[in-house]
Amino acid sequence: MEGFLHFNLQRANAFVLFLLFCTLILWFIRAARTRQDLFIRKIAGLNAIDEAVGRATELGRKVLYVPGISSIDENQTIASLAVLSHVARMTARYNTELDVPNKDPLTFASARETVKEAYIQEGRPDLYNDSIVHYVTYDQFAYTASVAGIMMRERPATNFLIGSFAAESLLLAETGQASGAIQIAGTAEIAQLPFFVCACDYTLIGEELYAAGAYLSRDPAMLGSIKGQDWTKALVGLAIIVGTLAATTGLFDLARLFRAR
Amino acid sequence: MFLRVQLPLLLTFLAGLIPIVAFFFTEKARLVKVPNDRLEKWMIIIAGFAIMLGVVNVVQGNIRKIERKGPGWHYAIFLLIGLVLPGSFGLLGAFNVGPFHGISPHADGSPSPFSFFVSYVFQPLQATMFSLLAFYVASAAFRAFRVRNLEATILLLAAVVVMLGRIPLGESLFAWIPGGKLALGTFTEWLMNNPNTAAQRGIMIGAALGAASLSLRVILGIERSYLGLEKD
């Protein structure tokens, strides 16, 4: 009881919005479990994954998967591992070589489990070995140099650059482009998105990356959460329009309700 | 089954829920703040141990590569030297063993073996990689700004305006028009602050909601593909 007396009232607005968001998501997850006709728009970058892995299989070359440079406490990394799981299943199914170099040690440990489990679930544990997912270094540019070296020396047919990236995004994407690989990138880092759009064949922009796991699994519950998220976005859009009109006409200050403290 | 599925999902639930609850309480709510602080400390400790896992993997992988003499095996030798040499200098310096005193430069300004390696090998290599960005920006810009369709043409025009608006040449181009000296700069600022910021915020709002939705799926155990697991 003592803990609840210390509720931060300055964050009450955030709490109400948090509850509203959770309610919408959970309601749509529940609704999705009973309905099978949920429409989710096509995401070109995710549809291209099968084609990209197929290309590597046909060429007899490897698939390079870069899960970004952040640790596992970053949402983008978790989203990236969901895509990695799908890619690993495909490489296991088609007996295609997969290479996952890592910068962060916790991401490395998680990626290894993800890939191992994907090979087991695909019924090909014999194809898995520990060198598929390997650690490189904790230094950003040393990691970049190593991955760029893999791209130019070993010429993977397909490069996935999915996760959280910083200054190395363009170095990697341009090197991959020069090596002639088909490239699928995805990040929510605003500053890095233009680089990926310029240098990659497909780019998952922001929310598309977070939706990847749900989109690829086609699990109704997960797709329901995307639907709930879209409805929240519509409400946010409505609030922006109403807020803009109210501020322009001087009626009231709606932004005050949303101000973070 | 419990160790492989239920336990990771339970830990994920707790590790995800505690910081959310802590966010809505003041510092005085020790019931939620203490576990939250502990969680952050544990994360650092676990990451510290995990890096050892990474180092072991690097050593094992590269020794294997040298033994097999596969393609590019000689690079593995340099990598191991680069790992062992400065690592030993750092360790010996930290414990003041023999001629290795400290890891920082000495009081007289001379470098310790470790700081010598950092200043004259590691940092120049880092700077070299970073400076490559300039060339890659040029090649990416060349590809992006080719006039292929209407959108690419608008992008090209906007880029030319922004680039000219941020250099002295842009000012002098329109200086002959009364009040024109700052016109391009002002238009550049408008482009960056209005259409550009609006588009960025659209992506940011979508991404933030996407991240929150993903977090909820992970905390509730609906999204478990990061564990390599399928749905129930």
Side-chain angles (χ1 to χ4, degrees), chain A residues 67-82:
Chain A
I69 60 164
S70 287
S71 193
I72 197 72
D73 59 343
E74 167 64 52
N75 269 328
Q76 294 179 67
T77 309
I78 296 174
S80 176
L81 292 184

Side-chain angles (χ1 to χ4, degrees), chain A residues 3 6-8 11 15 26 75 82 89 105 112 114 117 121 135 139 141 171 174 177 198 207 210 225 229, chain B residues 4 23-26 50 54 57-58 122 126 130 136 139 143-144 206-207 213-215 217 220 225-226 228 230:
Chain A
H6 298 298
F7 182 79
N8 192 343
R11 289 179 177 168
F15 185 67
L26 295 175
N75 269 328
R89 276 168 182 272
R112 178 170 276 190
T114 302
E117 199 62 40
Q121 297 226 347
Y135 189 72
D139 183 77
F141 288 110
L171 294 172
E174 274 293 295
Q177 168 82 20
C198 281
E207 61 186 315
Y210 295 120
S225 73
Q229 172 195 326
Chain B
R4 268 191 55 235
F23 177 80
F24 293 112
F25 285 85
T26 61
N57 181 260
V58 168
F122 187 63
Q126 271 189 322
F130 190 61
Y136 284 130
S139 65
R143 203 174 312 110
S213 172
L214 173 72
S215 304
R217 291 201 298 270
L220 297 177
S225 45
Y226 67 97
E230 278 282 87

